[in-house]
Amino acid sequence: MRGKKFRALTAGALSAAVLCTAAANPVFAVPAVDNKIGTVSAADEDVVFFTDFEDGDVSMFSKRGDSDTSVIKAIDDDKAPSGSKVMSVSGRDKSWNGPSMGLKGVLEPGVKYDISVKVKAAWYNTVCISLQHTPAGASEPQYTNLVKGVSQGEYVELKTSFAYGAEEKDVSIYIETWGDANDLCIDDFKVTLSPNNMDPNAPSLKDVYGDMFKFGTATTVSELAPKSTQDLIRKHFNSLTAGNELKPENVLDRAACLALAEEGDDTNPQVTLATAKPILDFARKYKIPMRGHVLVWHQQTPMWFFKENYDPDGEWVSKEKMLKRMENYIKNVFAAVKKDYSDIDFYAWDVVNECFTDYGKPRDEGFPAEANNYEASPWVKIFGDNSFIKPAFEFAKKYAPEGCKLYYNDFNEYMPKSDAIVKLCQEINADGHYIDGIGMQSHLNVTNNGEKDPFPSVSMYRQALEKFSKTGLDIQVTELDATVNNKMYDLQAKYYSDIMDALVEYKDYISAVVVWGTTDDQSWRADRDPLLFNKDYSVKSCFESIVDGIEYTTSAPPTEPESESQSQTETESVSHGTGDLLYGDANLDNNVNIADAVLVMQVATNPDKYEVGKSELSITKLGKQQADVNKDGGVNNKDALLIQKYKLGLIDVLPYTDTTK
Ligand code: GLA
């Protein structure tokens, strides 16, 4: 039935995919059948949802709440990219008004999806696909802009990938604009499974550099949602930074601050780690050491933090009051960490971030905004200069968890500001040891505007290393990425390799090298492919160039933490006794979902590879029993297909032994 495109297309596409799992990477491999549904052919074998609105059905989409004035309906459009009908969104009053699709019960949590859609704004506007999601424990939703494009009254295609976590609430994907709230037309809305081509046999970065320094990455809650990303991080990295979630804007709890201010104390900012919870839980579960980022910064810190009565429109507070707020803020953050996450090894924390212009001057005073290119500093506004840095380190030293080293972190650290950084550290440490190290962000560029003109040059970068190594302080590379235009990946590989060679040369002064993200598509500089892994988790040539030629010892592939494998064994014995199996749950996560079907297909294609201990993705004895949903004694593609049918509601119970269908 055309109205039920989600089910019909998925079932067709998935069963076609299952027929072809003999391909090398059998995660929903390309089917060889011509199975046209709408204007999408079954060559789009991974499609889980598609509509071109030709049947006039817009029922999967709704406006975003009561105050959204949008009117959503199917209309004819002679410019429709496919067929004649599109979804029209008129009557929008605010730029955030627009069509939204709830994801719970439609798409699986923990799975990475690709999305593409064609959007036309009535006149010039920036159109955007965004994700609304409320992390467990948080009271406010988060809004993540996934991808933007400019429509000039014509259709523009937006493409990106996304995922959400099992514990997130109210998850929806929606289309909005950045400027006017003009009318929109939308066509060819498609969601597909994002392919996973992670190479389980690639050398692990943390092994390769294990004798020299930690090798880390940064992640965000949404980036970490897919299990596939978690697998990649567990394999390669032994340091984790929260990309946004431990920044003041996410840690400061305004409601609690206001409540305390009501009682007369507006100098004790209250904090919450709720937004960071999924990342902290992940680090704890897999024992991955963390870098805290960041306490004092001019950006991503709410205006109200600096104002009387925590009112963004209020007066700036005095220096004295801000010092008290700063001390209590730092104290409360560390207290929350010690209370709830004392078992995470927070081995480093960026106390202060980005206080200098490229030429080593303090920032201008003000609040970061478009007009000042987001460069003004509210800290400078209140303190008049950079004199807030020293107390920040004094407070951090006083309250930080034991063993947590404290860093001054900055970008363009190879520019003349490097001298100012060295001087700052020396001055602050003159009467004590407050700063443990210098964080070199290292947001580098292999090409500039398409020209083969790297910035910084490798020698310029090496000079900064030399300068910092002489301070006696530790060095950490905290946010490494290196952009490249026009997919000049060979050039990028050479540059990455030269930079790593320089870091290896200074290894005695460096305790961690952290890349700012995992796969290119999730990077803040995604338009210029700056990272080590492709969107499908396969390694890039810059990954190969930095692991080539280094001798290292391989560690065992990551396994589930002991308590978990123990509980699996326990479940196994209970299940054997009672016959109480959860059929379909091949990966033993107590759910039956697409991830199980994918695992079953992989096991069916290459049984040896997925034995426990041989790969990060593996299937236990109990997993095999539960995967055999047609009870024919084996784990095969028929089981994968049945699991998918069950998920799609085409069969009601598992196991399913009706051989007539
Ligand atoms: C700076 C900050 C990081 C991050 C990047 C951009 O480098 O230190 O926290 O915001 O910008 O993603």
Side-chain angles (χ1 to χ4, degrees):
M1 197 171 73
R2 301 294 305 278
K4 290 216 176 12
K5 283 178 270 312
F6 176 71
R7 292 192 165 175
L9 183 56
T10 310
L14 291 180
S15 56
V18 170
L19 292 173
C20 302
T21 48
N25 263 313
V27 186
F28 300 116
V30 181
V33 289
D34 182 21
N35 179 14
K36 284 231 176 206
I37 299 171
T39 51
V40 172
S41 84
D44 294 294
E45 77 289 348
D46 295 340
V47 174
V48 288
F49 179 77
F50 171 77
T51 177
D52 55 9
F53 303 104
E54 290 310 301
D55 60 0
D57 183 359
V58 294
S59 60
M60 288 295 281
F61 299 87
S62 65
K63 58 185 192 158
R64 300 186 59 225
D66 286 347
S67 58
D68 181 341
T69 53
S70 306
V71 177
I72 300 174
K73 57 176 191 270
I75 60 163
D76 284 323
D77 179 5
D78 55 13
K79 284 190 184 163
S82 67
S84 59
K85 285 197 165 45
V86 300
M87 175 166 69
S88 128
V89 188
S90 57
R92 301 168 68 242
D93 182 41
K94 298 273 185 324
S95 59
W96 54 265
N97 289 178
S100 156
M101 182 170 124
L103 301 186
K104 287 252 167 173
V106 174
L107 299 181
E108 296 285 348
V111 175
K112 186 170 172 181
Y113 293 98
D114 294 339
I115 180 170
S116 68
V117 61
K118 291 169 191 150
V119 184
K120 178 180 81 172
W123 60 88
Y124 181 93
N125 210 338
T126 298
V127 292
C128 182
I129 306 180
S130 302
L131 187 73
Q132 175 174 333
H133 50 129
T134 308
S139 49
E140 298 290 320
Q142 295 206 328
Y143 306 97
T144 307
N145 302 130
L146 298 173
V147 64
K148 286 177 256 167
V150 172
S151 164
Q152 319 225 32
E154 300 291 340
Y155 282 91
V156 52
E157 183 167 29
L158 301 176
K159 278 179 157 185
T160 185
S161 42
F162 68 95
Y164 73 95
E167 294 189 359
E168 289 185 286
K169 296 170 287 185
D170 304 327
V171 190
S172 59
I173 200 140
Y174 60 99
I175 293 160
E176 60 179 332
T177 50
W178 275 48
D180 294 337
N182 49 8
D183 290 353
L184 301 175
C185 284
I186 290 161
D187 205 7
D188 296 345
F189 184 101
K190 183 161 76 170
V191 178
T192 51
L193 280 175
S194 199
N196 179 356
N197 289 316
M198 173 172 139
D199 178 356
N201 300 317
S204 149
L205 290 167
K206 63 179 155 73
D207 287 353
V208 172
Y209 289 99
D211 293 340
M212 307 181 210
F213 32 69
K214 285 193 167 63
F215 209 105
T217 191
T219 194
T220 61
V221 168
S222 34
E223 187 183 345
L224 190 62
K227 184 172 176 303
S228 39
T229 304
Q230 297 187 5
D231 290 343
L232 186 87
I233 290 178
R234 289 175 58 205
K235 176 178 169 74
H236 287 286
F237 302 104
N238 54 5
S239 169
L240 198 59
T241 309
N244 286 314
E245 293 76 358
L246 290 176
K247 290 175 177 170
E249 68 177 9
N250 284 314
V251 172
L252 279 164
D253 184 341
R254 182 152 188 254
C257 287
L258 286 172
L260 200 63
E262 282 277 292
E263 290 170 22
D265 184 357
D266 74 345
T267 58
N268 189 5
Q270 299 298 289
V271 304
T272 168
L273 300 179
T275 306
K277 187 173 184 295
I279 297 176
L280 298 172
D281 287 349
F282 174 76
R284 162 147 71 200
K285 181 169 177 187
Y286 295 112
K287 297 191 171 30
I288 304 177
M290 284 195 73
R291 291 194 87 253
H293 176 83
V294 52
L295 293 169
V296 173
W297 188 25
H298 65 292
Q299 288 185 357
Q300 291 185 265
T301 307
M303 174 93 98
W304 57 262
F305 184 52
F306 302 97
K307 298 295 191 76
E308 285 296 347
N309 303 319
Y310 297 126
D311 174 0
D313 299 321
E315 297 289 313
W316 295 91
V317 297
S318 66
K319 196 198 283 194
E320 291 66 37
K321 188 178 268 191
M322 202 62 221
L323 266 178
K324 285 194 190 139
R325 284 191 184 174
M326 183 204 259
E327 170 160 13
N328 285 325
Y329 173 65
I330 292 175
K331 178 176 163 186
N332 292 341
V333 171
F334 286 137
V337 166
K338 287 184 208 166
K339 177 171 164 284
D340 293 330
Y341 295 99
S342 59
D343 47 350
I344 294 182
D345 174 14
F346 271 105
Y347 72 99
W349 212 291
D350 292 328
V351 176
V352 179
N353 200 24
E354 303 182 345
C355 289
F356 293 111
T357 66
D358 284 352
Y359 295 94
K361 298 270 170 290
R363 294 182 168 277
D364 288 343
E365 57 175 56
F367 194 79
E370 207 172 345
N372 56 43
N373 213 8
Y374 298 93
E375 286 183 358
S377 167
W379 293 101
V380 176
K381 168 80 191 159
I382 291 175
F383 285 78
D385 51 26
N386 272 347
S387 57
F388 61 91
I389 303 177
K390 182 162 187 197
F393 276 97
E394 286 170 348
F395 298 143
K397 207 51 313 146
K398 189 162 160 196
Y399 299 112
E402 210 176 311
C404 178
K405 298 263 168 36
L406 306 177
Y407 291 77
Y408 173 78
N409 193 45
D410 215 325
F411 69 105
N412 283 358
E413 64 280 2
Y414 28 80
M415 294 286 284
K417 78 161 82 167
S418 57
D419 291 327
I421 296 174
V422 169
K423 191 158 167 263
L424 172 90
C425 296
Q426 282 164 347
E427 280 170 8
I428 290 184
N429 280 354
D431 62 347
H433 184 79
Y434 301 106
I435 301 186
D436 294 303
I438 296 170
M440 299 175 69
Q441 289 190 7
S442 308
H443 294 299
L444 316 177
N445 306 285
V446 181
T447 54
N448 271 301
N449 298 324
E451 297 301 318
K452 297 179 183 176
D453 175 23
F455 186 81
S457 65
V458 176
S459 66
M460 196 172 170
Y461 191 79
R462 190 184 261 109
Q463 278 163 30
L465 282 170
E466 172 66 17
K467 195 175 288 179
F468 296 143
S469 71
K470 288 195 173 131
T471 61
L473 296 174
D474 182 42
I475 300 174
Q476 294 194 344
V477 173
T478 54
E479 306 181 16
L480 176 63
D481 53 15
T483 59
V484 70
N485 296 91
N486 307 328
K487 312 210 174 299
M488 289 191 251
Y489 294 139
D490 288 349
L491 217 59
Q492 186 182 38
K494 171 83 173 71
Y495 184 78
Y496 253 109
S497 155
D498 291 347
I499 291 288
M500 286 313 299
D501 284 351
L503 295 174
V504 167
E505 212 176 292
Y506 285 90
K507 66 180 190 310
D508 294 345
Y509 304 91
I510 299 174
S511 59
V513 173
V514 174
V515 281
W516 197 250
T518 46
T519 53
D520 273 343
D521 58 307
Q522 301 290 314
S523 164
W524 69 301
R525 306 164 101 193
D527 56 333
R528 284 163 295 154
D529 307 334
L531 296 170
L532 301 172
F533 298 92
N534 291 306
K535 172 171 161 289
D536 67 355
Y537 307 99
S538 58
V539 300
K540 288 173 60 184
S541 41
C542 51
F543 172 94
E544 284 166 350
S545 73
I546 68 166
V547 298
D548 240 25
I550 299 183
E551 279 185 27
Y552 66 96
T553 322
T554 319
S555 63
T559 50
E560 284 302 312
E562 204 146 271
S563 54
E564 201 139 305
S565 35
Q566 234 164 32
S567 72
Q568 282 178 10
T569 325
E570 279 158 23
T571 327
E572 191 156 358
S573 53
V574 173
S575 299
H576 284 165
T578 61
D580 188 16
L581 298 177
L582 177 56
Y583 274 98
D585 181 18
N587 61 9
L588 305 186
D589 66 353
N590 285 325
N591 276 309
V592 179
N593 52 31
I594 292 184
D596 297 301
V598 172
L599 178 60
V600 169
M601 282 193 279
Q602 288 171 316
V603 171
T605 313
N606 203 341
D608 288 347
K609 192 166 154 192
Y610 296 97
E611 288 300 326
V612 176
K614 293 207 176 150
S615 146
E616 273 127 85
L617 251 188
S618 59
I619 189 160
T620 64
K621 200 168 151 197
L622 174 62
K624 280 185 193 161
Q625 261 182 298
Q626 299 195 150
D628 181 16
V629 290
N630 61 0
K631 296 182 108 176
D632 67 356
V635 176
N636 49 45
N637 289 334
K638 288 183 202 140
D639 298 307
L641 183 56
L642 285 173
I643 293 171
Q644 289 158 17
K645 284 188 171 174
Y646 171 73
K647 277 308 292 170
L648 295 168
L650 301 177
I651 55 178
D652 294 332
V653 280
L654 293 176
Y656 186 85
T657 50
D658 183 351
T659 49
T660 60
K661 290 192 187 156

